[in-house]
Amino acid sequence: LSVSLNALYALAGLSAFLNLNMFFMSSSVLTLAVKPVAVSIASSCLRSVKSIPWLGPRLVGDSDLLIDSFELNEEHILGRHTIHVLPHSLTHMNPQGKSFCIDEAHLRAMPWYHRYTSGVFGHNRYPQTTIPILVNGTHPDSISYAYTSFETGQRQLRTIKNVGALQMETNAVYPTLGNWVMATYHLPISEIGAYEIYSVKDRKGLEFRTAAQAPPTIVVSCPRARLQWREDANAADNFVVGSDGHASICQRIDRDQESGPTSDGLIQAVVEGYEPIEMTVVRLVNGHREVINLDGIQPQSIDDQTTPGEDLDSAQLKSAEKWFRYKTRTSAYTLSDTFLRPGEYVYKLESFRDAANHSVKMADMNANGIFDGDEGKATPYMARIAVHRRPGVRWAEALLNAELPLRLSEDRARKSSYALPLSLLGVGPWTVNYVIVNGADVSQESKSFAKAVGAVIDANQPGVYHL
């Protein structure tokens, strides 16, 4: 057999091409075509050896060539496929760790249907408190959260299935991750208690991962405060509350110099909320401003309940004790004053703050007449006391310097009456009571005066006149 030189060169080149494809170019077309056949033949040989009793399994073992089938997707040949390994979707309730409060007074004044629609439509007159829920991942389909009551300690699971009806803010969008977004959903709440995220699921039923060791979100009652007159105010100093809500009192005197002046208060500052509560009251005495900071003062509590309800069983009682400190309490602080100086005393409630740092400043409420009152009338945030100068009466200096005793005559041509001048102190009108003692005869008389100038008592009968 004779072969030409060109044919030898062609055979040598084909042999080199086949060797290179078989051993070096693993991703070539020829390798991809031959490799399944070679693997299939090797697998058949190993199966024949493995069928030898006792010796076969020990020689072959768990070889990777013992496969049932070999499939090759033609679309993968000479192509690259990128697989995105996405992290778990994450959800976090109240990521900023803020505290929230509900104004129970506004909640009671709210129409019943607003409680169920304000989270969707919103009502400017009755704004509803919402808790932010941060969602980082696919769009949620349902949100479940746990609610715990401060009164009973009972835990309830609640689910929101219509997540699309909640107010939502988009924080970030990830185009490379498909439909992934970072969004904040606002959960409307209308009850005081503790809230925790329980589970969040998407449309495929996959659960979101919740933030590890996230504390519960505490929602307390918003603090409220008002000024009121003490119900047991001492009436010995003629304490009177007028029709306009303001009060008047007689100037007090220092009866005992050693024990000091009486400082019984007439005004109470009543506060409600999560204790301890701090309060700032401004007192104006004849225009002089003084700030009274009520913090760290032990209150005279109106709501003296210090333990949870007695109608709870032992398990509920133990759970309620954990949350009982967040319960709303009502306390009364008495604002003491001596009222030794006559004039006008004005008390104004300026601000207050609860233990969760919920602050209320009266200047920010923009309420007309909140301090000055409507047509001069008192408000729950301002009270005025008029302290009148304590009245006094004495004989005038001119009478004390006169030659005594004075003499009366039954003869009308002579001196039959004396005008005894008085010195009146205080605010008129005055009513002066005096006694005339003439031996065994004692008579009590009184006379009223509209003005202090020219006030006299007509002495037209003999005796000793006592004021």
Side-chain angles (χ1 to χ4, degrees):
L1 179 64
S2 61
V3 181
S4 63
L5 184 60
N6 294 333
L8 289 176
Y9 286 153
L11 291 174
L14 178 60
S15 176
F17 174 74
L18 293 175
N19 281 280
L20 289 175
N21 275 274
M22 290 292 294
F23 298 103
F24 298 105
M25 301 176 66
S26 59
S27 60
S28 65
V29 176
L30 182 61
T31 302
L32 293 176
V34 175
K35 187 174 182 179
V37 178
V39 171
S40 179
I41 295 174
S43 178
S44 299
C45 296
L46 287 179
R47 289 180 186 278
S48 300
V49 175
K50 190 175 181 180
S51 62
I52 301 175
W54 187 81
L55 182 62
R58 287 171 173 75
L59 293 175
V60 176
D62 296 331
S63 176
D64 293 336
L65 294 176
L66 294 175
I67 60 176
D68 295 331
S69 63
F70 187 91
E71 296 182 359
L72 183 65
N73 191 346
E74 297 180 357
E75 296 180 355
H76 289 188
I77 299 176
L78 296 180
R80 292 183 179 181
H81 288 253
T82 302
I83 300 177
H84 293 284
V85 181
L86 301 179
H88 287 280
S89 298
L90 179 67
T91 181
H92 192 181
M93 173 179 282
N94 189 19
Q96 302 299 328
K98 296 181 179 180
S99 59
F100 300 89
C101 71
I102 295 178
D103 193 332
E104 293 185 291
H106 288 175
L107 194 62
R108 288 191 292 266
M110 181 188 302
W112 65 269
Y113 57 86
H114 280 206
R115 301 187 183 185
Y116 305 98
T117 59
S118 60
V120 180
F121 303 105
H123 303 286
N124 295 330
R125 184 180 177 186
Y126 303 99
Q128 189 171 20
T129 304
T130 60
I131 300 178
I133 299 178
L134 182 64
V135 174
N136 189 16
T138 56
H139 293 280
D141 186 63
S142 65
I143 297 177
S144 299
Y145 63 95
Y147 164 76
T148 304
S149 171
F150 293 154
E151 298 287 341
T152 63
Q154 293 182 349
R155 180 184 173 95
Q156 302 175 3
L157 291 180
R158 302 176 180 178
T159 302
I160 299 178
K161 296 182 178 180
N162 189 13
V163 179
L166 299 179
Q167 296 182 13
M168 189 265 286
E169 299 174 0
T170 302
N171 304 102
V173 180
Y174 307 101
T176 58
L177 299 182
N179 59 348
W180 264 51
V181 295
M182 179 186 292
T184 301
Y185 292 84
H186 295 274
L187 174 67
I189 57 175
S190 59
E191 294 180 88
I192 294 172
Y195 292 80
E196 298 177 81
I197 198 72
Y198 183 75
S199 68
V200 178
K201 296 181 180 180
D202 60 11
R203 295 180 180 178
K204 297 180 180 180
L206 301 177
E207 286 198 16
F208 287 49
R209 179 179 295 175
T210 57
Q213 300 180 351
T217 300
I218 302 299
V219 180
V220 299
S221 176
C222 292
R224 291 182 293 168
R226 68 181 186 274
L227 298 178
Q228 69 178 23
W229 303 113
R230 279 183 53 189
E231 296 181 357
D232 58 344
N234 188 9
D237 296 319
N238 295 325
F239 174 73
V240 178
V241 179
S243 59
D244 58 356
H246 300 300
S248 62
I249 189 177
C250 184
Q251 176 190 7
R252 289 174 174 171
I253 59 175
D254 190 358
R255 295 184 176 90
D256 191 349
Q257 296 291 341
E258 295 182 358
S259 62
T262 302
S263 60
D264 294 337
L266 302 176
I267 297 180
Q268 286 182 332
V270 181
V271 293
E272 302 176 20
Y274 171 35
E275 291 186 345
I277 298 179
E278 300 178 0
M279 191 164 34
T280 301
V281 178
V282 175
R283 178 174 59 186
L284 300 173
V285 181
N286 296 329
H288 178 70
R289 177 184 173 92
E290 180 183 359
V291 178
I292 303 174
N293 293 316
L294 299 177
D295 52 351
I297 300 177
Q298 196 70 17
Q300 175 188 347
S301 181
I302 294 177
D303 183 7
D304 291 326
Q305 185 182 11
T306 56
T307 57
E310 299 178 355
D311 55 342
L312 304 178
D313 56 31
S314 58
Q316 292 176 339
L317 184 62
K318 184 177 180 181
S319 178
E321 288 177 349
K322 176 183 177 181
W323 307 103
F324 188 72
R325 62 191 181 100
Y326 299 107
K327 183 182 176 182
T328 302
R329 291 181 176 84
T330 303
S331 302
Y333 298 81
T334 300
L335 306 178
S336 300
D337 211 323
T338 58
F339 301 108
L340 294 178
R341 290 181 293 173
E344 184 181 59
Y345 290 65
V346 180
Y347 296 84
K348 297 181 178 181
L349 183 60
E350 190 169 76
S351 63
F352 46 94
R353 179 178 61 184
D354 67 1
N357 203 29
H358 299 125
S359 302
V360 177
K361 294 184 178 180
M362 309 311 299
D364 297 339
M365 296 181 65
N366 298 324
N368 295 328
I370 199 167
F371 283 157
D372 298 331
D374 184 12
E375 297 181 356
K377 294 183 179 181
T379 70
Y381 314 107
M382 186 274 296
R384 181 181 289 110
I385 302 177
V387 180
H388 299 296
R389 185 180 298 277
R390 179 170 291 274
V393 62
R394 63 183 179 179
W395 301 115
E397 295 291 336
L399 181 60
L400 298 178
N401 295 331
E403 184 180 352
L404 299 177
L406 303 176
R407 297 180 183 275
L408 294 176
S409 175
E410 294 181 357
D411 187 357
R412 292 186 177 182
R414 298 185 178 182
K415 195 71 174 178
S416 61
S417 178
Y418 282 96
L420 306 180
L422 299 176
S423 176
L424 299 177
L425 303 176
V427 180
W430 295 262
T431 298
V432 179
N433 300 319
Y434 59 98
V435 178
I436 304 174
V437 180
N438 185 11
D441 298 332
V442 178
S443 62
Q444 296 183 355
E445 305 289 340
S446 64
K447 188 176 182 180
S448 298
F449 304 93
K451 297 181 180 180
V453 179
V456 296
I457 291 178
D458 296 325
N460 50 21
Q461 59 177 313
V464 179
Y465 287 69
H466 298 277
L467 297 176

